[in-house]
Amino acid sequence: SMTAAWSFFFATRWLLAISGVVGDDETMLGISLALALSVVSFMWVIFLDWKHDEIRGVTHKTEHERAELVEAGPPEASPEDDKSKRIELALKRIIGVCGILVGF
């Protein structure tokens, strides 16, 4: 995940530098880079967290609905469960990369 974060960091820096938006000023490049990466990372984290909740089936259920689910017990395992778990793990890792990226 650290490799992905560094790759995004330098790719964004390169794109900002060659675009000419910030000119030749290194300080403006650094500030623009920090703002751009922070905004994009936060947007990705919010979106990916929403998708993660959607995959897990987390919704706002009433107490009665939750009690019915507990009484029914866990559903039978299926190949789809394994796929969902792998997708959940991938989403968590991408969220982690975004967190590392904001930390730079």
Side-chain angles (χ1 to χ4, degrees):
S1 65
M2 186 66 99
T3 305
W6 279 111
S7 297
F8 288 134
F9 177 82
F10 284 111
T12 306
R13 184 170 188 228
W14 176 76
L15 284 171
L16 283 173
I18 67 165
S19 69
V21 172
V22 293
D24 293 335
D25 189 5
E26 287 289 322
T27 304
M28 284 304 294
L29 176 63
I31 292 170
S32 299
L33 180 63
L35 286 173
L37 288 176
S38 294
V39 167
V40 170
S41 293
F42 284 127
M43 289 172 46
W44 267 107
V45 167
I46 291 168
F47 173 74
L48 293 173
D49 186 49
W50 173 69
K51 290 306 278 182
H52 182 252
D53 288 346
E54 188 177 281
I55 289 169
R56 289 182 53 211
V58 175
T59 59
H60 301 287
K61 297 187 183 304
T62 65
E63 283 294 322
H64 180 68
E65 291 171 327
R66 278 186 245 153
E68 287 178 351
L69 288 174
V70 170
E71 287 176 13
E76 302 257 340
S78 69
E80 281 296 316
D81 291 340
D82 184 48
K83 182 179 177 183
S84 293
K85 288 183 183 189
R86 289 187 306 202
I87 292 171
E88 281 185 54
L89 180 62
L91 289 174
K92 286 179 183 179
R93 287 185 178 169
I94 294 171
I95 290 170
V97 167
C98 290
I100 292 170
L101 197 56
V102 170
F104 288 149

